[in-house]
Amino acid sequence: MILKDKTLQKVTSPMAKAGQKQEQDVAFFLRRAFKDHPNVFVINDFKFTHNNETAQIDHLIIYTYGFILVESKSITGEVKVNEVGEWSRSLGNKWSGMSSPIKQVELQQKLLREMLLENKADILGKVFGIQTGFGGRSWDNLCAVSSNAIIHRETIPKGVSRQLVKTEFLVEKLHKIMRLSLDMIKKVNLFDTRAYFNNEELESVTSFLMAQLKPEILESDKTENITSPATQNISEIKTDSLLECKACGEKSDYSPQYGKYGYFIKCNKCDTNTSMKIPCLSCNSKSTKVSKKNTTYTLSCTDCTSANVLIS
């Protein structure tokens, strides 16, 4: 399931354009592979702040057994890594050093783990009075480079080589790391001894992470408009005229949240969860989609292309 798509920025330099194109390519393969998978969640452009430090993870994958961080890197020439982990790349006929994307993603992982551990009580709670945590879950990092890059694997340290993958082989590599059985839609493989998240824990982890998303910069001269024509003319409608608790009918005293099945409201009076995905207000079609930008939730219809603000 894709929790957050890649956000396109208006960039001008050739290097920035190439970097964004590489992230788009990786996001495309992840979407094709996991958009309908109930046990794999993908957050593209996961930017968060913890302990006064900010990190941006190109692609964060949360699945039954843990987490995988993927760093996208546009490299169209050759790439080498020496025995101490120092990277170099070719630009035309010249070689130059470059920062290690593996070290970069390791720092991002460290901050993410610290944030999750500090909030484990709120995220995972207790089971039979025992404080649960994130112990035993898998943590993996990968660097996805451009498909036309030339990788000198014969001289790259084995540990780095295992983390370095061309974009078209990324999904295959992810399947080998995750090792999800075919029957995992209904249950966990009883013969797998890895620590795992159950469905409720996965929902709690992903909801917590989505709540940490740092607001995007929305200045018109910095962000490319990638919305459909329908969402450019959004009808402002009061929240209480659109959403209400399915149990008690409450129309205002609720909080928006995200879970395994998408965006929903949690009633503060009766604790009932109600999906934000409602039929289109214009044509009554059920082919609708809820999206979030900062604190605004929008309902868009794919049939009549209308859009309405649910919460702002």
Side-chain angles (χ1 to χ4, degrees):
M1 183 179 294
I2 308 301
L3 301 184
K4 180 179 180 296
D5 290 320
K6 162 67 185 167
T7 302
L8 296 184
Q9 301 293 323
K10 187 175 182 180
V11 295
T12 56
S13 71
M15 184 171 293
K17 288 182 178 180
Q20 180 160 265
K21 174 62 166 56
Q22 172 62 9
E23 290 185 34
Q24 283 182 271
D25 289 345
V26 171
F28 169 79
F29 280 100
L30 294 176
R31 183 171 64 254
R32 280 291 182 90
F34 304 117
K35 67 177 181 179
D36 297 320
H37 202 299
N39 300 103
V40 179
F41 301 85
V42 179
I43 305 177
N44 296 293
D45 279 340
F46 181 60
K47 189 173 184 179
F48 66 100
T49 298
H50 175 67
N51 196 24
N52 295 322
E53 298 288 340
T54 299
Q56 181 164 355
I57 300 171
D58 288 342
H59 316 276
L60 173 61
I61 299 170
I62 309 100
Y63 68 109
T64 303
Y65 296 105
F67 307 85
I68 304 174
L69 285 70
V70 181
E71 176 75 11
S72 295
K73 211 67 179 177
S74 174
I75 301 177
T76 57
E78 300 177 61
V79 59
K80 295 180 179 179
V81 184
N82 64 22
E83 65 277 3
V84 295
E86 297 170 336
W87 288 57
S88 59
R89 64 188 297 179
S90 66
L91 297 171
N93 296 322
K94 297 182 179 179
W95 283 84
S96 62
M98 61 176 286
S99 58
S100 167
I102 299 298
K103 290 298 181 183
Q104 180 179 347
V105 76
E106 286 176 353
L107 289 174
Q108 296 165 347
Q109 186 207 93
K110 183 176 183 294
L111 190 64
L112 177 62
R113 294 185 72 164
E114 289 175 355
M115 181 176 69
L116 290 174
L117 288 173
E118 286 191 18
N119 292 276
K120 64 181 181 180
D122 294 329
I123 301 172
L124 300 179
K126 296 182 178 181
V127 178
F128 302 118
I130 301 175
Q131 180 67 60
T132 61
F134 291 90
R137 271 61 175 206
S138 299
W139 287 86
D140 293 279
N141 301 323
L142 294 175
C143 175
V145 299
S146 309
S147 297
N148 58 352
I150 299 175
I151 304 173
H152 291 262
R153 292 194 182 274
E154 66 278 4
T155 59
I156 292 179
K158 291 183 178 179
V160 175
S161 184
R162 284 193 293 268
Q163 294 175 283
L164 188 58
V165 61
K166 287 192 176 184
T167 304
E168 71 266 33
F169 299 110
L170 174 62
V171 171
E172 180 181 341
K173 181 73 171 181
L174 290 171
H175 281 305
K176 289 181 179 179
I177 291 174
M178 292 188 289
R179 292 184 286 127
L180 298 177
S181 61
L182 296 177
D183 63 347
M184 279 209 60
I185 293 179
K186 295 183 178 180
K187 59 183 180 180
V188 173
N189 185 352
L190 297 178
F191 298 99
D192 197 320
T193 59
R194 290 177 291 172
Y196 65 90
F197 297 117
N198 59 36
N199 289 339
E200 290 75 17
E201 290 170 336
L202 265 178
E203 179 177 344
S204 183
V205 171
T206 54
S207 295
F208 172 82
L209 292 173
M210 290 297 291
Q212 308 309 308
L213 282 173
K214 195 172 180 63
E216 305 283 351
I217 297 175
L218 300 176
E219 300 173 23
S220 59
D221 61 339
K222 292 186 179 181
T223 304
E224 182 178 351
N225 184 359
I226 59 171
T227 58
S228 65
T231 59
Q232 295 176 16
N233 296 296
I234 297 177
S235 304
E236 294 287 346
I237 298 181
K238 292 182 179 180
T239 298
D240 61 8
S241 67
L242 297 181
L243 300 175
E244 64 178 37
C245 175
K246 64 183 180 182
C248 69
E250 174 58 40
K251 294 184 177 182
S252 60
D253 189 10
Y254 53 68
S255 57
Q257 297 187 28
Y258 189 90
K260 182 177 180 180
Y261 301 105
Y263 293 105
F264 64 93
I265 56 172
K266 185 177 183 64
C267 181
N268 295 328
K269 291 188 175 180
C270 69
D271 288 333
T272 299
N273 295 337
T274 304
S275 175
M276 289 190 196
K277 190 177 184 299
I278 59 177
C280 175
L281 301 177
S282 299
C283 68
N284 205 37
S285 169
K286 293 184 179 181
S287 298
T288 55
K289 179 181 179 180
V290 178
S291 59
K292 177 179 180 290
K293 180 179 288 186
N294 295 335
T295 58
T296 300
Y297 297 79
T298 303
L299 180 77
S300 302
C301 178
T302 59
D303 285 341
C304 73
T305 69
S306 65
N308 296 98
V309 171
L310 296 175
I311 300 175
S312 180

